[in-house]
Amino acid sequence: MSEHVERSSAVTQDAAPRTAVVTGANRGIGSAIARRLVDEGYQVAGISRSGDAPEGVFGVTGDMRDTASVDAAFTAIEEHQGPTEVLVANAGITKDTLVMRMTDEEFTDVLDVNLTGVFRCVRRAAKGMIRRRTGRIVLISSVVGLYGSPGQVNYAASKAGLVGIARSVTRELGGRGITANVVAPGFIETAMTKELPEATQKQYLATIPAARFGQVEDVADAVTYLASPGAGYISGAVVPVDGGLGMGH
Ligand SMILES: NC(=O)c1ccc[n+]([C@@H]2O[C@H](COP(=O)([O-])OP(=O)(O)OC[C@H]3O[C@@H](n4cnc5c(N)ncnc54)[C@H](OP(=O)(O)O)[C@@H]3O)[C@@H](O)[C@H]2O)c1
Protein backbone atom coordinates (compact mmCIF):
# COMPACT_ATOMS: atom_id res chain seq x y z
CA MET A 1 0.00 0.00 0.00
CA SER A 2 2.66 2.54 1.03
CA GLU A 3 4.71 1.50 -2.01
CA HIS A 4 1.66 2.22 -4.16
CA VAL A 5 1.18 5.66 -2.59
CA GLU A 6 4.89 6.49 -3.06
CA ARG A 7 4.76 5.45 -6.71
CA SER A 8 1.62 7.51 -7.33
CA SER A 9 3.10 10.64 -5.80
CA ALA A 10 6.30 10.21 -7.83
CA VAL A 11 4.21 10.00 -11.00
CA THR A 12 2.22 13.07 -9.96
CA GLN A 13 5.41 15.02 -9.30
CA ASP A 14 6.89 14.04 -12.66
CA ALA A 15 3.70 15.03 -14.41
CA ALA A 16 3.27 18.35 -12.58
CA PRO A 17 3.79 21.24 -14.96
CA ARG A 18 6.38 23.69 -13.71
CA THR A 19 7.07 26.09 -16.57
CA ALA A 20 4.52 28.20 -18.36
CA VAL A 21 4.42 30.63 -21.27
CA VAL A 22 1.62 33.18 -21.37
CA THR A 23 1.25 35.29 -24.51
CA GLY A 24 0.12 38.86 -23.93
CA ALA A 25 1.14 38.69 -20.29
CA ASN A 26 1.97 42.38 -19.97
CA ARG A 27 -1.55 43.57 -19.20
CA GLY A 28 -5.20 42.64 -18.76
CA ILE A 29 -6.22 39.01 -18.58
CA GLY A 30 -2.77 37.70 -19.56
CA SER A 31 -1.11 39.61 -16.73
CA ALA A 32 -3.56 38.14 -14.19
CA ILE A 33 -2.99 34.61 -15.53
CA ALA A 34 0.80 35.02 -15.41
CA ARG A 35 0.74 36.45 -11.86
CA ARG A 36 -1.56 33.68 -10.70
CA LEU A 37 0.70 30.96 -12.16
CA VAL A 38 3.69 32.58 -10.42
CA ASP A 39 1.74 32.43 -7.14
CA GLU A 40 1.10 28.73 -7.84
CA GLY A 41 4.85 28.09 -8.09
CA TYR A 42 5.31 28.02 -11.86
CA GLN A 43 8.24 29.62 -13.64
CA VAL A 44 6.41 31.92 -16.02
CA ALA A 45 7.46 33.76 -19.16
CA GLY A 46 5.40 36.23 -21.16
CA ILE A 47 5.53 37.09 -24.87
CA SER A 48 4.25 40.41 -26.22
CA ARG A 49 5.37 43.07 -28.67
CA SER A 50 6.46 45.32 -25.82
CA GLY A 51 8.24 42.50 -23.98
CA ASP A 52 6.99 43.94 -20.67
CA ALA A 53 5.83 41.53 -18.00
CA PRO A 54 4.55 41.66 -14.42
CA GLU A 55 7.01 41.23 -11.55
CA GLY A 56 8.36 37.69 -11.34
CA VAL A 57 7.54 36.94 -15.00
CA PHE A 58 10.30 36.66 -17.63
CA GLY A 59 9.27 39.07 -20.37
CA VAL A 60 10.29 38.43 -23.97
CA THR A 61 9.55 40.41 -27.11
CA GLY A 62 7.60 38.55 -29.77
CA ASP A 63 5.04 39.31 -32.44
CA MET A 64 2.25 36.78 -32.96
CA ARG A 65 2.07 37.82 -36.65
CA ASP A 66 5.58 36.59 -37.38
CA THR A 67 6.61 32.93 -37.21
CA ALA A 68 10.34 33.69 -36.83
CA SER A 69 9.60 36.12 -34.00
CA VAL A 70 7.39 33.60 -32.16
CA ASP A 71 9.96 30.81 -32.59
CA ALA A 72 12.77 33.09 -31.35
CA ALA A 73 10.72 34.10 -28.29
CA PHE A 74 10.14 30.44 -27.34
CA THR A 75 13.83 29.65 -27.84
CA ALA A 76 14.85 32.55 -25.56
CA ILE A 77 12.32 31.40 -22.95
CA GLU A 78 13.48 27.79 -23.08
CA GLU A 79 17.09 28.88 -22.63
CA HIS A 80 15.98 30.79 -19.56
CA GLN A 81 13.52 28.40 -17.87
CA GLY A 82 13.65 25.08 -19.73
CA PRO A 83 11.03 23.29 -21.86
CA THR A 84 7.55 24.76 -22.01
CA GLU A 85 5.10 22.60 -20.11
CA VAL A 86 2.11 24.94 -20.12
CA LEU A 87 1.14 27.25 -22.99
CA VAL A 88 -1.53 29.86 -22.41
CA ALA A 89 -2.28 31.53 -25.74
CA ASN A 90 -3.93 34.75 -24.64
CA ALA A 91 -2.66 37.56 -26.90
CA GLY A 92 -5.48 38.99 -28.96
CA ILE A 93 -6.76 42.10 -30.70
CA THR A 94 -10.04 43.54 -31.97
CA LYS A 95 -10.76 45.67 -35.03
CA ASP A 96 -14.51 46.04 -34.81
CA THR A 97 -16.72 47.33 -37.57
CA LEU A 98 -19.90 46.25 -39.33
CA VAL A 99 -19.48 43.48 -41.88
CA MET A 100 -20.45 45.71 -44.83
CA ARG A 101 -17.64 48.12 -43.94
CA MET A 102 -14.99 45.63 -42.88
CA THR A 103 -11.91 45.70 -45.10
CA ASP A 104 -9.89 42.62 -46.01
CA GLU A 105 -7.08 44.00 -43.81
CA GLU A 106 -9.37 44.43 -40.80
CA PHE A 107 -10.46 40.83 -41.21
CA THR A 108 -7.07 39.24 -41.87
CA ASP A 109 -5.17 41.37 -39.30
CA VAL A 110 -7.38 40.03 -36.52
CA LEU A 111 -7.16 36.46 -37.83
CA ASP A 112 -3.37 36.78 -38.09
CA VAL A 113 -2.93 37.61 -34.39
CA ASN A 114 -5.85 35.74 -32.80
CA LEU A 115 -5.88 32.53 -34.85
CA THR A 116 -2.70 32.10 -36.91
CA GLY A 117 -0.69 33.54 -34.00
CA VAL A 118 -2.12 30.89 -31.70
CA PHE A 119 -1.35 28.21 -34.29
CA ARG A 120 2.28 29.48 -34.44
CA CYS A 121 2.59 29.22 -30.64
CA VAL A 122 0.91 25.82 -30.42
CA ARG A 123 3.14 24.38 -33.16
CA ARG A 124 6.29 25.69 -31.50
CA ALA A 125 5.33 24.67 -27.95
CA ALA A 126 4.05 21.23 -29.02
CA LYS A 127 7.52 20.20 -30.26
CA GLY A 128 8.92 19.91 -26.75
CA MET A 129 5.66 18.66 -25.27
CA ILE A 130 5.58 15.74 -27.72
CA ARG A 131 9.19 14.87 -26.88
CA ARG A 132 8.49 14.99 -23.15
CA ARG A 133 5.06 13.32 -23.51
CA THR A 134 3.38 15.92 -21.32
CA GLY A 135 1.88 19.34 -21.85
CA ARG A 136 -1.02 21.65 -21.21
CA ILE A 137 -2.36 24.01 -23.84
CA VAL A 138 -4.99 26.58 -22.91
CA LEU A 139 -6.38 28.88 -25.60
CA ILE A 140 -8.16 32.09 -24.60
CA SER A 141 -11.21 32.43 -26.83
CA SER A 142 -14.33 34.47 -26.10
CA VAL A 143 -18.05 34.03 -25.63
CA VAL A 144 -18.26 36.02 -28.87
CA GLY A 145 -16.68 33.13 -30.78
CA LEU A 146 -19.64 30.91 -29.96
CA TYR A 147 -22.45 33.43 -29.50
CA GLY A 148 -21.59 35.92 -32.25
CA SER A 149 -21.56 39.68 -31.93
CA PRO A 150 -22.48 42.48 -34.32
CA GLY A 151 -19.44 44.34 -35.58
CA GLN A 152 -17.10 41.50 -34.69
CA VAL A 153 -17.20 39.13 -37.66
CA ASN A 154 -13.38 39.05 -37.75
CA TYR A 155 -12.96 38.61 -33.99
CA ALA A 156 -15.75 36.00 -33.69
CA ALA A 157 -14.30 33.97 -36.58
CA SER A 158 -10.85 34.02 -34.98
CA LYS A 159 -12.15 32.99 -31.56
CA ALA A 160 -14.41 30.23 -32.95
CA GLY A 161 -11.38 28.87 -34.82
CA LEU A 162 -9.60 28.26 -31.54
CA VAL A 163 -12.16 25.56 -30.67
CA GLY A 164 -11.18 23.74 -33.87
CA ILE A 165 -7.49 24.04 -32.98
CA ALA A 166 -7.96 22.72 -29.44
CA ARG A 167 -10.10 19.79 -30.55
CA SER A 168 -7.82 18.82 -33.41
CA VAL A 169 -4.74 19.04 -31.17
CA THR A 170 -6.58 16.89 -28.64
CA ARG A 171 -7.23 14.23 -31.28
CA GLU A 172 -3.69 14.48 -32.67
CA LEU A 173 -1.70 14.68 -29.43
CA GLY A 174 -4.05 13.43 -26.71
CA GLY A 175 -2.20 10.10 -26.63
CA ARG A 176 1.06 11.91 -25.82
CA GLY A 177 -0.08 13.26 -22.46
CA ILE A 178 -0.98 16.63 -23.94
CA THR A 179 -4.29 18.37 -23.27
CA ALA A 180 -5.69 21.31 -25.23
CA ASN A 181 -8.64 23.29 -23.93
CA VAL A 182 -10.38 26.57 -24.59
CA VAL A 183 -11.39 29.14 -22.01
CA ALA A 184 -14.15 31.42 -23.27
CA PRO A 185 -14.40 34.56 -21.16
CA GLY A 186 -17.50 36.71 -21.30
CA PHE A 187 -17.38 40.39 -20.51
CA ILE A 188 -14.26 40.88 -18.38
CA GLU A 189 -13.33 44.31 -17.04
CA THR A 190 -10.13 45.25 -18.90
CA ALA A 191 -8.78 48.02 -21.14
CA MET A 192 -10.17 46.11 -24.16
CA THR A 193 -13.74 46.16 -22.87
CA LYS A 194 -13.55 49.74 -21.54
CA GLU A 195 -13.23 50.81 -25.19
CA LEU A 196 -16.74 49.50 -25.96
CA PRO A 197 -19.51 52.11 -26.09
CA GLU A 198 -21.32 52.59 -22.77
CA ALA A 199 -24.62 51.52 -24.33
CA THR A 200 -23.07 48.19 -25.39
CA GLN A 201 -21.67 47.68 -21.88
CA LYS A 202 -25.13 48.30 -20.35
CA GLN A 203 -26.72 45.92 -22.88
CA TYR A 204 -24.28 43.15 -21.94
CA LEU A 205 -24.80 43.65 -18.21
CA ALA A 206 -28.55 43.22 -18.65
CA THR A 207 -27.99 39.78 -20.22
CA ILE A 208 -25.48 38.37 -17.74
CA PRO A 209 -27.21 36.03 -15.28
CA ALA A 210 -24.48 36.70 -12.69
CA ALA A 211 -25.46 40.41 -12.89
CA ARG A 212 -21.84 41.56 -12.90
CA PHE A 213 -18.93 41.80 -15.27
CA GLY A 214 -16.13 39.29 -14.79
CA GLN A 215 -12.77 40.07 -13.25
CA VAL A 216 -9.44 39.03 -14.73
CA GLU A 217 -8.96 36.75 -11.71
CA ASP A 218 -12.06 34.75 -12.73
CA VAL A 219 -10.31 33.82 -15.98
CA ALA A 220 -7.00 33.13 -14.21
CA ASP A 221 -8.76 30.66 -11.89
CA ALA A 222 -10.10 28.57 -14.80
CA VAL A 223 -6.76 28.61 -16.64
CA THR A 224 -4.85 27.60 -13.52
CA TYR A 225 -7.15 24.64 -13.04
CA LEU A 226 -6.81 23.47 -16.66
CA ALA A 227 -3.02 23.77 -16.37
CA SER A 228 -2.93 21.73 -13.17
CA PRO A 229 -2.14 18.01 -12.91
CA GLY A 230 -5.70 17.43 -11.66
CA ALA A 231 -7.08 18.43 -15.07
CA GLY A 232 -5.10 15.78 -16.96
CA TYR A 233 -8.23 14.02 -18.24
CA ILE A 234 -9.94 17.17 -19.53
CA SER A 235 -9.20 17.94 -23.17
CA GLY A 236 -11.03 19.49 -26.11
CA ALA A 237 -13.33 21.29 -23.68
CA VAL A 238 -14.64 24.82 -23.91
CA VAL A 239 -14.87 26.31 -20.43
CA PRO A 240 -17.02 29.43 -20.26
CA VAL A 241 -16.05 32.11 -17.73
CA ASP A 242 -18.91 34.46 -18.44
CA GLY A 243 -21.36 34.53 -15.53
CA GLY A 244 -23.79 32.49 -17.65
CA LEU A 245 -23.88 34.94 -20.58
CA GLY A 246 -23.32 32.38 -23.34
CA MET A 247 -25.00 29.40 -21.69
CA GLY A 248 -25.31 26.56 -24.16
CA HIS A 249 -23.20 28.31 -26.80
N1 LIG B 1 -11.47 41.65 -21.94
C1 LIG B 1 -12.49 40.84 -22.20
O1 LIG B 1 -13.63 41.09 -21.76
C2 LIG B 1 -12.29 39.60 -22.99
C3 LIG B 1 -13.39 38.77 -23.17
C4 LIG B 1 -13.22 37.59 -23.89
C5 LIG B 1 -11.99 37.25 -24.39
N2 LIG B 1 -10.93 38.11 -24.22
C6 LIG B 1 -9.66 37.69 -24.78
O2 LIG B 1 -8.68 37.63 -23.75
C7 LIG B 1 -7.41 37.97 -24.27
C8 LIG B 1 -6.79 39.11 -23.47
O3 LIG B 1 -7.69 40.19 -23.49
P1 LIG B 1 -7.39 41.57 -22.72
O4 LIG B 1 -8.69 42.23 -22.53
O5 LIG B 1 -6.52 41.31 -21.53
O6 LIG B 1 -6.60 42.35 -23.87
P2 LIG B 1 -5.50 43.53 -23.81
O7 LIG B 1 -5.50 44.18 -22.47
O8 LIG B 1 -5.75 44.38 -25.02
O9 LIG B 1 -4.15 42.73 -24.00
C9 LIG B 1 -3.83 42.12 -25.22
C10 LIG B 1 -2.47 41.48 -25.09
O10 LIG B 1 -2.11 40.90 -26.34
C11 LIG B 1 -0.81 41.34 -26.71
N3 LIG B 1 -0.71 41.42 -28.16
C12 LIG B 1 -1.53 42.08 -29.02
N4 LIG B 1 -1.10 41.93 -30.29
C13 LIG B 1 0.02 41.17 -30.22
C14 LIG B 1 0.94 40.68 -31.19
N5 LIG B 1 0.81 40.95 -32.51
N6 LIG B 1 1.98 39.94 -30.77
C15 LIG B 1 2.16 39.66 -29.45
N7 LIG B 1 1.32 40.08 -28.49
C16 LIG B 1 0.27 40.84 -28.88
C17 LIG B 1 -0.68 42.73 -26.06
O11 LIG B 1 0.68 43.11 -25.84
P3 LIG B 1 1.46 44.13 -26.82
O12 LIG B 1 0.48 45.19 -27.21
O13 LIG B 1 2.62 44.63 -26.03
O14 LIG B 1 1.89 43.28 -27.97
C18 LIG B 1 -1.39 42.49 -24.73
O15 LIG B 1 -0.53 41.88 -23.81
C19 LIG B 1 -7.62 38.32 -25.74
O16 LIG B 1 -7.33 37.20 -26.55
C20 LIG B 1 -9.09 38.65 -25.81
O17 LIG B 1 -9.60 38.43 -27.08
C21 LIG B 1 -11.06 39.27 -23.53
Side-chain angles (χ1 to χ4, degrees), residues 11-225:
V11 167
T12 308
Q13 268 174 18
D14 280 353
R18 306 268 15 121
T19 60
V21 174
V22 181
T23 69
N26 54 334
R27 60 172 187 265
I29 292 173
S31 169
I33 294 168
R35 284 182 275 118
R36 177 68 196 279
L37 291 173
V38 168
D39 289 348
E40 294 286 322
Y42 291 80
Q43 277 186 278
V44 184
I47 306 174
S48 62
R49 285 168 303 174
S50 71
D52 295 341
E55 211 187 317
V57 174
F58 181 64
V60 171
T61 308
D63 191 328
M64 294 301 127
R65 298 168 294 185
D66 178 1
T67 297
S69 170
V70 168
D71 288 353
F74 273 90
T75 301
I77 289 167
E78 286 168 2
E79 277 165 13
H80 174 75
Q81 65 182 26
T84 301
E85 290 162 303
V86 175
L87 166 66
V88 184
N90 160 83
I93 59 165
T94 53
K95 288 195 177 180
D96 299 353
T97 189
L98 297 173
V99 66
M100 297 278 286
R101 293 195 193 132
M102 193 175 285
T103 62
D104 284 7
E105 285 71 32
E106 282 163 341
F107 187 84
T108 53
D109 286 356
V110 170
L111 268 286
D112 200 16
V113 176
N114 295 9
L115 186 63
T116 316
V118 169
F119 158 68
R120 293 180 178 109
C121 291
V122 168
R123 178 177 57 188
R124 180 58 181 78
K127 260 194 207 174
M129 291 178 181
I130 292 166
R131 222 173 9 246
R132 303 183 73 253
R133 300 188 71 82
T134 182
R136 293 279 193 279
I137 295 170
V138 183
L139 311 181
I140 307 301
S141 175
S142 166
V143 65
V144 164
L146 308 163
Y147 200 66
S149 170
Q152 295 198 297
V153 158
N154 47 3
Y155 183 75
S158 70
K159 293 301 185 179
L162 298 182
V163 178
I165 291 185
R167 291 187 171 159
S168 299
V169 167
T170 292
R171 293 197 186 278
E172 202 173 310
L173 304 178
R176 314 276 187 109
I178 296 167
T179 67
N181 291 291
V182 169
V183 168
F187 196 112
I188 308 296
E189 274 182 9
T190 62
M192 189 185 256
T193 48
K194 277 194 191 113
E195 279 175 22
L196 291 173
E198 213 180 303
T200 311
Q201 295 195 28
K202 275 194 181 145
Q203 238 177 338
Y204 269 120
L205 189 57
T207 58
I208 301 169
R212 68 169 178 90
F213 295 137
Q215 301 301 309
V216 290
E217 291 77 16
D218 294 321
V219 182
D221 280 342
V223 172
T224 305
Y225 173 64

